[in-house]
Amino acid sequence: MPASYAYLGPEGTFTEVALRTLPEAATRELIPYVSVQSALDAVRTGEAEAAFVPIENSVEGGITTTLDELVAGEPLTIYREVLLSITFALLVRPGTTLADIKTVTAHPAAQPQVRNWLRAHLPDALWESAASNADGARLVQEGRYDAAFAGEFAAARYGLVPLETDIHDAENAQTRFVLVGRPARPAAPTGADKTSVVLWQREDHPGALRDLIDEFATRGINLMLLQSRPTGAGIGNYCFCVDAEGHISDRRMAEALMGLKRVCLQVRFLGSYPRADIAPGEARPLWPGTSDQEFLAASDWVTRCQDGRF
């Protein structure tokens, strides 16, 4: 398999900036793709070793394009995540003023992050979505739009200038990116890990979602993301994308996944990988009764009972 990473391009995206924070990126060829779908398909077809794509932002939540691509199609696995603080610049061709701007563009995920600024400063501007923020900058360079919301670092690459900088509706906004590859053994646990799965209910009934959540709750596992996505099988048919604290090698997580496998129509394991928001020594203490040692002790007790040694 070629030593290359695919990423959401073109050059100059926040995705590229986040990808270059990974040490291993320095030893790979970084290849931009026009969409999240095409970047992930490059992994599925063997064109790339891995793909690096956005999956969640702190303003709008999950990036539905990425979630849907991981839900459907040939299985892929998340191996790493990166958090990047996001602030936008309004990029224009030299000489453009705010009064000249009639059309603006950016990736759809950018709009909720600049909506209030846009309403206050360009209330009559027409918004049209681009494949990525950097692609929006390219379209401005070509004269297709008057301005683009993108990273300030993209300006020089596309011959533009930042008319306004430090644009954001929410302080400390972040986007989470993931490195995705073909299925393989997860990396060893670090003590501060995350496990991602997709769950399909066996049937819809009162308390069905609670039943799924209980598999985590009864084992002291905290959920970090729970988002429903339509299955395409009709109105009211959903699967659930879940991020949970812990690693599949943890006894509590393994038992939770076994429980979900029993009660769900389908479970797709998306990976166990190190968290980007905390270091291993900063992980929250486990709930009493949920450590590997306590699970093992309970299992040994049951064995002794079965053997008449209680």
Side-chain angles (χ1 to χ4, degrees), residues 2-304:
S4 63
Y5 284 172
Y7 70 91
L8 176 62
E11 295 180 352
T13 57
F14 287 109
T15 307
E16 181 188 9
V17 172
L19 172 56
R20 291 187 182 278
T21 68
L22 293 178
E24 58 266 39
T27 64
R28 303 295 197 275
E29 180 185 8
L30 308 184
I31 304 175
Y33 282 76
V34 298
S35 66
V36 168
Q37 296 95 321
S38 59
L40 294 178
D41 282 344
V43 179
R44 290 184 168 116
T45 61
E47 294 176 18
E49 175 186 358
F52 193 77
V53 294
I55 194 170
E56 180 186 4
N57 73 64
S58 59
V59 176
E60 194 71 356
I63 306 295
T64 56
T65 301
T66 301
L67 292 174
D68 291 346
E69 283 295 313
L70 294 176
V71 165
E74 185 180 344
L76 295 171
T77 299
I78 299 171
Y79 292 102
R80 293 283 297 277
E81 69 173 12
V82 171
L83 293 178
L84 184 71
S85 296
I86 302 293
T87 184
F88 292 90
L90 186 68
L91 305 186
V92 300
R93 294 181 295 277
T96 302
T97 68
L98 276 178
D100 299 325
I101 297 174
K102 308 302 180 187
T103 56
V104 295
T105 187
H107 188 274
Q111 188 176 25
Q113 302 180 63
V114 299
R115 184 183 294 124
N116 293 335
W117 188 95
L118 193 60
R119 184 184 301 116
H121 296 86
L122 293 169
D124 299 321
L126 175 66
W127 171 285
E128 291 197 26
S129 294
S132 68
N133 297 314
D135 190 55
R138 180 185 63 81
L139 294 173
V140 171
Q141 180 190 44
E142 294 177 356
R144 298 267 300 274
Y145 300 99
D146 298 323
F149 289 101
E152 186 176 356
F153 48 80
R157 189 169 308 207
Y158 293 98
L160 304 176
V161 295
L163 186 60
E164 299 281 348
T165 60
D166 197 28
I167 299 172
H168 53 270
D169 289 351
E171 294 288 341
N172 304 315
Q174 290 183 311
T175 294
R176 181 166 70 100
F177 301 84
V178 289
L179 184 68
V180 180
R182 297 183 67 81
R185 182 184 295 273
T190 67
D193 302 287
K194 179 183 296 184
T195 293
S196 298
V197 293
V198 186
L199 310 174
W200 283 261
Q201 293 173 303
R202 190 175 299 278
E203 62 178 5
D204 189 21
H205 63 269
L209 178 57
R210 183 203 61 196
D211 292 344
L212 305 186
I213 295 174
D214 279 350
E215 295 292 339
F216 296 104
T218 58
R219 295 170 177 88
I221 297 173
N222 185 50
L223 298 188
M224 306 177 72
L225 180 144
L226 174 62
Q227 182 159 340
S228 62
R229 296 301 304 149
T231 64
I235 296 294
N237 287 278
Y238 293 89
C239 61
F240 299 93
C241 301
V242 176
D243 289 346
E245 288 182 345
H247 194 279
I248 191 172
S249 65
D250 299 335
R251 292 292 294 265
R252 64 188 184 282
M253 182 65 74
E255 286 203 8
L257 295 180
M258 285 189 288
L260 290 164
K261 185 64 176 176
R262 291 196 308 271
V263 302
C264 290
L265 177 66
Q266 181 183 351
V267 177
R268 173 168 285 196
F269 175 68
L270 295 181
S272 290
Y273 47 94
R275 291 173 56 178
D277 58 334
I278 60 171
E282 299 172 348
R284 75 174 74 224
L286 298 179
W287 285 101
T290 64
S291 69
D292 281 2
Q293 294 80 2
E294 288 163 311
F295 271 96
L296 182 59
S299 177
D300 289 344
W301 176 79
V302 170
T303 299
R304 292 197 305 272

